[in-house]
Amino acid sequence: MHGEYKVQGGKLVVVDLDNINDRLTNVQVHGDFFLEPAEALDDIRTSLEGLPVISTVEDIVAAIRAGLRPGAEMIGFSPEAVAIAVRRALGVTGTWRDYEWQIIETPALRPAMHLALDEVLAKEVGEGRRAPCLRFWEWERPAIIIGGFQSLRNEVDMEAATQFGVETVRRITGGGAMFVEPGTTVTYSLYAPAELVGDMSFADSYAFLDDWVLKALNSLGIDAFYKPLNDISSSKGKIGGAAQKRFTSGAVLHHVTMAYNMDADKMVQVLRIGREKLSDKGTTSANKRVDPLRSQTGLPREEIIERMKETFRSLNGGIAGGVSADEYAAAEKLAAEKFSTDEWLRHIP
């Protein structure tokens, strides 16, 4: 049985093994990585030999770390990379831990750049040029972000938006319009291989991809729960909403905006939230539909984001990452040619 894993920005790890009596047998580990001392390769192989084939990534990583001699250095690869190659050799993929996640923070960016980065990073993940990642956004200016299939004039009061200095942009995902201002929301994107949700419907994948965030919010004392199709809610009101797109390149984009300290009065002036939508949500006032994280926790926004990162890492793994100069350049080009244009914004008037 043969499995390969290419570390993003690193080296290729290859594992060959046999499955005899449900145990890893005749394990060989090789690749173009570096390892000091060379004898540590035997440590890795011996650590894997005899492990149950049902071992998780965590089990395999723990065995490798326990078996490595003191002072051994794995250069260009990691115990996690070996574990993923083992699981691929066994034909087991599709869990969060089968990938080496990066957690990215970008500086405050204009709305069109955020939307362009979403498309660029998702395609880079799908084409295997970057690791799957979780990115937290910072907004440079107030904005309305309408869904890819919404009517601009039905959703936005453009005169009021101009009066308040609120920029309007259109994203590539469906769903409803959202209003954001710097420091008032928690917005993040997941860029994942499509195989992570490959056997799920869109509806099922929303709940699956939001589960870690619910755990983070629960740990802060918020009784957060998933409300189909795409809402993160609580007994005190809606917290946020998700939207998703799957790319032919083999990636899924899943992004979420949660209210931290929304100016609800301004929101209802710039958004045309119709009575039918409000009645469907069981409320008569738009500014009662969203219950900010600040009012439920009393915590600084940064502390909530840090808890989200900690929860993601504990459940799914993850190391700090960044956006490359080439990716920023590609996003700048896409923002200028697509997301900043009237043609894109008004293609559904």
Side-chain angles (χ1 to χ4, degrees):
M1 307 177 80
H2 179 87
E4 299 183 0
Y5 179 69
K6 172 67 169 64
V7 178
Q8 295 297 322
K11 299 298 182 178
L12 178 69
V13 180
V14 182
V15 172
D16 294 298
L17 56 84
D18 294 320
N19 175 358
I20 299 178
N21 297 324
D22 294 327
R23 297 277 173 173
L24 307 186
T25 311
N26 301 323
V27 180
Q28 297 296 325
V29 179
H30 49 104
D32 60 356
F33 49 77
F34 299 93
L35 181 63
E36 293 292 340
E39 291 77 13
L41 188 61
D42 289 332
D43 299 343
I44 297 173
R45 185 191 61 76
T46 301
S47 300
L48 298 173
E49 195 75 24
L51 285 180
V53 296
I54 61 171
S55 297
T56 64
V57 169
E58 294 91 334
D59 295 333
I60 297 169
V61 168
I64 294 171
R65 287 179 174 158
L68 273 176
R69 65 192 64 199
E73 291 191 47
M74 303 174 72
I75 305 161
F77 74 127
S78 64
E80 287 80 5
V82 177
I84 293 169
V86 168
R87 301 256 297 170
R88 290 185 174 182
L90 293 168
V92 182
T93 59
T95 69
W96 293 92
R97 287 282 186 172
D98 287 315
Y99 309 97
E100 290 192 296
W101 291 87
Q102 292 184 2
I103 300 175
I104 294 173
E105 285 190 54
T106 44
L109 300 171
R110 67 187 192 278
M113 267 296 287
H114 276 306
L115 302 184
L117 267 180
D118 262 3
E119 188 166 331
V120 168
L121 296 180
K123 289 182 177 179
E124 289 294 291
V125 169
E127 293 169 5
R129 289 193 289 265
R130 76 144 40 243
C133 47
L134 165 66
R135 178 173 75 94
F136 287 91
W137 303 25
E138 293 292 341
W139 295 98
E140 181 194 74
R141 65 190 72 166
I144 295 168
I145 303 91
I146 65 173
F149 310 108
Q150 289 187 299
S151 162
L152 176 64
R153 62 172 170 249
N154 285 352
E155 296 297 326
V156 183
D157 184 328
M158 293 298 287
E159 184 177 338
T162 300
Q163 175 187 341
F164 285 111
V166 178
E167 182 175 339
T168 303
V169 291
R170 184 187 294 276
R171 62 183 185 267
I172 57 175
T173 55
M178 60 186 191
F179 168 63
V180 301
E181 293 182 287
T184 65
T185 66
V186 175
T187 305
Y188 67 87
S189 294
L190 281 166
Y191 313 98
E195 64 184 5
L196 180 63
V197 293
D199 59 349
M200 301 179 196
S201 67
F202 270 90
D204 290 341
S205 67
Y206 273 94
F208 175 77
L209 293 173
D210 284 337
D211 186 63
W212 69 275
V213 132
L214 299 182
K215 288 182 169 64
L217 297 179
N218 292 159
S219 74
L220 292 169
I222 302 172
D223 63 332
F225 55 85
Y226 168 71
K227 185 176 180 180
L229 171 68
N230 63 329
D231 282 355
I232 296 173
S233 195
S234 77
S235 59
K236 295 182 179 180
K238 177 179 173 179
I239 296 171
Q244 190 181 118
K245 180 176 177 63
R246 298 187 187 185
F247 292 84
T248 56
S249 61
V252 57
L253 162 65
H254 181 90
H255 49 200
V256 172
T257 290
M258 298 186 292
Y260 173 71
N261 189 27
M262 300 290 288
D263 185 339
D265 291 331
K266 186 185 295 184
M267 178 183 74
V268 297
Q269 291 184 69
V270 297
L271 292 181
R272 301 186 191 275
I273 302 177
R275 292 180 181 177
E276 183 175 349
K277 180 179 287 189
L278 295 179
S279 64
D280 181 57
K281 300 293 183 180
T283 182
T284 58
S285 173
N287 60 14
K288 288 184 172 61
R289 287 184 56 205
V290 178
D291 191 61
L293 295 171
R294 181 180 179 182
S295 67
Q296 292 206 36
T297 66
L299 295 173
R301 176 175 170 274
E302 293 73 21
E303 192 169 330
I304 293 171
I305 292 174
E306 191 55 41
R307 178 64 61 88
M308 291 171 65
K309 292 179 188 174
E310 291 170 1
T311 302
F312 187 90
R313 279 192 292 262
S314 68
L315 294 172
N316 309 322
I319 61 172
V323 178
S324 71
D326 287 345
E327 289 166 339
Y328 272 123
E332 288 280 8
K333 185 173 186 292
L334 189 60
E337 296 178 354
K338 178 177 179 179
F339 291 106
S340 296
T341 66
D342 266 1
E343 181 182 7
W344 170 252
L345 175 63
R346 300 177 185 276
H347 78 262
I348 302 178

